[in-house]
Amino acid sequence: MSYRVPFCPGSCHGSKRMDDRPRNRQRQARRVTPTGVRILIALSCLILFSSLLVSTSLAQDWVRTGSGLGVDKVRLAVPDFKAANADPQNNALLKTFNDTFWNDLDNSGVVELVSKSFYPLQVPGQPAEVTFNLWNVPPPNAAMLAFGNLGVASGKLTVQGWLYDVKNTASPQVLGKQYTDVPTDGAARLIAHKFADEIIFRLGGGIPGIAESEIYFVSDRSGHKEIWAMDYDGSNQRQLTHQGSISLSPRISPDGSRLAFSSMTKTGWDILMFSLDLNRVVSFPHFGGTNLSPAWSPDGARLALSSSRGGSSEIYVCDASGGNLHRITASKGPDVSPVWNRKTGAQIAFVSGTTGLPQIYTIEADGTNQQRMTDQGYAVSPGWSPNGQFLTLAWTRKYGPGEPGSSDIYLMDIASKQWVQLTHDGGRNDFPSWSPDGRHIVFQSSRSGKEEIWMMLADGTKLHQLTFTGRNTQPNWSWK
């Protein structure tokens, strides 16, 4: 659960007095023509604008380096896969496959897709059909070519796909795969995800792709706030829980088998556990008080949560079964929203109101070495990157009466506390969650007029909406 307090629009600032300047400088100033004043103002604005551009560029550099987005993107051509035979099911399955495959690669952040308008008229469906000098020179000027075919025969869907280095005509094949499944839309989508991930793994520095990952979130489209799931690209949205009350803060376990969440029950706010293997809620202890924001340790052996069982809300840690519950914070204000360091499992970031407005803190998992990470404003919803280097957070940096500001997603380097703003005044943005490859962030935003789930690359680029029905909030990306 995050803090929410109304805030007021901004005010103007006064200018400095200039009466204490030496008289000779005053005389010089009087001799400046109106045109000269305009030139001086324009130069000052240009210098300020240039310094802001340099600062933003430097900030984006360390984000791209730390998130794996800083490498040169491979120029990849991806012509539509061809029909392998004349089966009437091919056309619909080809469209699903081709659309999914292109979008997966386009979303990856590691390739530059060559525009299809540059492709030659004849595209290959088999290796023997590749004409290298049509692809490795302008206008396509591709470094890599992904191509293949799809066909239904004897009640089975078969897809063959290749990845060629078209600059290396002597030994071009980088990858060759064949997939077989039932001839359904879902199977065609899954095969596209699998082949895209194979390509991303090879062209993205050996980091597994995210095309088969899932996102869990809260939606009210059924009439109650329940936990839902969807594929990483927004497809296959489906309801998981049916509590008939209010369920919040879904957190998927590292192995993908269990989902911890908070729900309003007959006894108050409890932590509940949903088994994805059994497709139902399974037993979990009742702790007493208000229990919110469960979070898994990276080994799946422990949970952190916020509980008021001792009076005020504090951060507790327990075993995955709910046993061995013990408190690790003892602040004057409420402590909520814990999240583990996904790299080490040794630290927890959380939100505390101990100094008044909520701020982000870190603490060792044993309760030692508490440190404040944010220095001002209103900071909530920390999320720890898979490599342990960054925190994302929702931050209103200027907050209070007369202060302008909006809730935006920021990224902070843990060691230096250097930060960069990723979203910019597009509604209220909150609850960021990292993709398993560390290159993407999913979050909730009201920029479309109501709360929906959005995704972007970790440097704030390639922003797009994933949900459109009802109000959708609090996304959590799977670990793999």
Side-chain angles (χ1 to χ4, degrees):
M1 178 173 289
S2 295
Y3 295 79
R4 291 291 177 271
V5 181
F7 59 94
C8 303
S11 62
C12 300
H13 299 279
S15 58
K16 292 183 179 179
R17 290 178 57 85
M18 301 295 289
D19 297 340
D20 56 348
R21 292 178 296 180
R23 290 190 175 209
N24 61 331
R25 294 193 64 184
Q26 289 179 346
R27 285 195 295 271
Q28 291 174 1
R30 283 196 295 269
R31 289 197 294 270
V32 177
T33 64
T35 301
V37 170
R38 287 196 294 271
I39 292 173
L40 288 172
I41 292 173
L43 286 172
S44 298
C45 290
L46 180 61
I47 291 170
L48 177 60
F49 181 68
S50 298
S51 66
L52 288 173
L53 284 179
V54 171
S55 174
T56 301
S57 177
L58 290 174
Q60 292 291 346
D61 282 347
W62 60 260
V63 172
R64 292 192 181 107
T65 300
S67 60
L69 295 170
V71 298
D72 291 335
K73 294 182 179 179
V74 176
R75 190 167 169 83
L76 174 66
V78 187
D80 285 348
F81 276 42
K82 297 172 70 172
N85 54 41
D87 191 283
Q89 296 182 78
N90 288 347
N91 288 341
L93 295 177
L94 272 170
K95 177 170 176 50
T96 296
F97 177 90
N98 287 325
D99 289 349
T100 303
F101 188 52
W102 175 276
N103 289 334
D104 286 347
L105 295 169
D106 191 34
N107 290 332
S108 70
V110 301
V111 297
E112 175 193 352
L113 292 185
V114 179
S115 171
K116 291 185 179 181
S117 62
F118 293 154
Y119 293 1
L121 293 178
Q122 300 300 321
V123 298
Q126 297 279 353
E129 299 172 356
V130 176
T131 304
F132 291 93
N133 60 10
L134 294 179
W135 296 98
N136 60 16
V137 297
N141 198 28
M144 294 282 175
L145 173 68
F147 64 97
N149 60 76
L150 174 153
V152 176
S154 302
K156 290 186 178 180
L157 168 66
T158 300
V159 176
Q160 293 180 314
W162 292 268
L163 176 66
Y164 266 27
D165 178 351
V166 291
K167 300 290 187 182
N168 180 7
T169 57
S171 181
Q173 183 168 315
V174 176
L175 181 64
K177 299 291 291 186
Q178 178 170 304
Y179 305 90
T180 302
D181 208 329
V182 293
T184 65
D185 189 78
R189 187 182 303 278
L190 180 60
I191 291 173
H193 287 330
K194 287 180 179 295
F195 190 42
D197 274 348
E198 292 273 10
I199 292 174
I200 292 164
F201 180 79
R202 282 160 176 78
L203 301 185
I207 299 173
I210 60 168
E212 295 181 77
S213 63
E214 297 206 317
I215 294 169
Y216 301 85
F217 62 102
V218 176
S219 181
D220 67 358
R221 69 186 74 176
S222 67
H224 298 279
K225 288 189 174 182
E226 302 282 3
I227 309 302
W228 286 61
M230 62 181 168
D231 294 352
Y232 94 101
D233 59 0
S235 62
N236 192 27
Q237 297 186 22
R238 59 206 184 274
Q239 184 175 345
L240 296 181
T241 66
H242 297 82
Q243 296 300 110
S245 60
I246 302 174
S247 296
L248 302 173
S249 305
R251 296 294 183 268
I252 188 67
S253 63
D255 66 1
S257 67
R258 292 164 293 170
L259 187 78
F261 63 101
S262 308
S263 190
M264 173 62 78
T265 68
K266 295 178 180 179
T267 57
W269 281 99
D270 286 322
I271 304 299
L272 300 184
M273 192 69 67
F274 184 91
S275 168
L276 278 83
D277 296 330
L278 301 175
N279 196 34
R280 61 177 176 83
V281 173
V282 295
S283 61
F284 195 79
H286 169 68
F287 295 137
T290 298
N291 302 279
L292 303 164
S293 316
W296 293 90
S297 63
D299 61 2
R302 291 173 292 172
L303 280 171
L305 61 132
S306 170
S307 178
S308 67
R309 67 194 311 266
S312 64
S313 292
E314 303 287 353
I315 305 302
Y316 286 75
V317 172
C318 66
D319 298 335
S321 62
N324 192 30
L325 181 71
H326 58 283
R327 190 180 68 185
I328 64 169
T329 64
S331 304
K332 295 179 180 178
D335 297 335
V336 297
S337 303
V339 60
W340 295 79
N341 183 327
R342 294 177 64 172
K343 177 73 172 179
T344 67
Q347 299 86 28
I348 293 173
F350 65 101
V351 178
S352 180
T354 187
T355 60
L357 290 177
Q359 301 295 329
I360 306 296
Y361 291 77
T362 60
I363 192 171
E364 298 296 312
D366 63 3
T368 61
N369 192 28
Q370 181 170 314
Q371 296 185 36
R372 180 170 170 173
M373 302 301 294
T374 52
D375 58 357
Q376 66 183 81
Y378 190 106
V380 294
S381 303
W384 218 308
S385 66
N387 64 6
Q389 181 177 344
F390 301 123
L391 280 177
T392 49
L393 59 146
W395 201 1
T396 306
R397 297 200 70 250
K398 294 183 178 181
Y399 187 88
E403 289 287 359
S406 63
S407 176
D408 279 300
I409 306 300
Y410 286 75
L411 188 148
M412 177 180 287
D413 179 79
I414 295 292
S416 66
K417 296 184 181 179
Q418 183 181 6
W419 54 263
V420 64
Q421 184 175 345
L422 299 182
T423 64
H424 298 270
D425 299 323
R428 292 189 59 81
N429 306 279
D430 203 346
F431 296 99
S433 178
W434 288 87
S435 64
D437 68 354
R439 296 188 180 113
H440 306 75
I441 295 168
V442 67
F443 63 103
Q444 78 175 51
S445 177
S446 63
R447 65 186 58 225
S448 66
K450 61 186 177 71
E451 293 165 324
E452 299 290 358
I453 308 299
W454 292 70
M455 184 173 72
M456 62 183 170
L457 290 178
D459 61 2
T461 61
K462 218 166 185 60
L463 182 71
H464 62 279
Q465 187 173 344
L466 298 180
T467 61
F468 297 87
T469 304
R471 293 183 180 274
N472 304 279
T473 58
Q474 301 186 352
N476 177 238
W477 213 316
S478 64
W479 294 68
K480 56 186 179 180

